[in-house]
Amino acid sequence: MTVPEIPAGTRVSLRPGEWASHMGQLGTIYMDVRVVKVGDMEGVPGWVWLLVHMPECHWESVACAREWCVKVAVWIPALYDAVNR
Ligand SMILES: [Zn+2]
């Protein structure tokens, strides 16, 4: 499965069960993220890493200065859907 090209800054709305934490825990909540980078997940076909910021990262009170701050695993077919949501 090819890794989707997603421009940086794209907002992606993930549903429960479509994503997993970097610890492999399947997500149980809705999560809105802003994509920084998409990365290949070696050895896990059908899944990619998303390096993201949370929507509140650009708030003045948060002012997240890192390149990205959250890493989530996403099932590729769900990612295509999530981008078009
Ligand atoms: Zn951030």
Side-chain angles (χ1 to χ4, degrees):
M1 213 173 290
T2 51
V3 174
E5 295 267 346
I6 299 180
T10 301
R11 192 179 134 169
V12 176
S13 298
L14 299 167
R15 291 174 179 162
E18 291 181 343
W19 61 276
S21 74
H22 66 286
M23 304 297 282
Q25 197 85 32
L26 205 61
T28 57
I29 58 167
Y30 286 80
M31 192 154 93
D32 272 348
V33 299
R34 281 188 305 123
V35 173
V36 177
K37 241 184 242 178
V38 183
D40 201 17
M41 194 185 295
E42 271 176 50
V44 189
W47 287 76
V48 285
W49 287 121
L50 283 192
L51 308 180
V52 303
H53 280 296
M54 304 308 286
E56 61 271 26
C57 281
H58 66 280
W59 294 356
E60 227 174 288
S61 57
V62 178
C64 177
R66 289 188 275 176
E67 192 195 351
W68 54 271
C69 56
V70 179
K71 185 178 187 180
V72 289
V74 183
W75 190 50
I76 292 173
L79 183 55
Y80 280 111
D81 286 351
V83 168
N84 294 315
R85 215 161 261 164

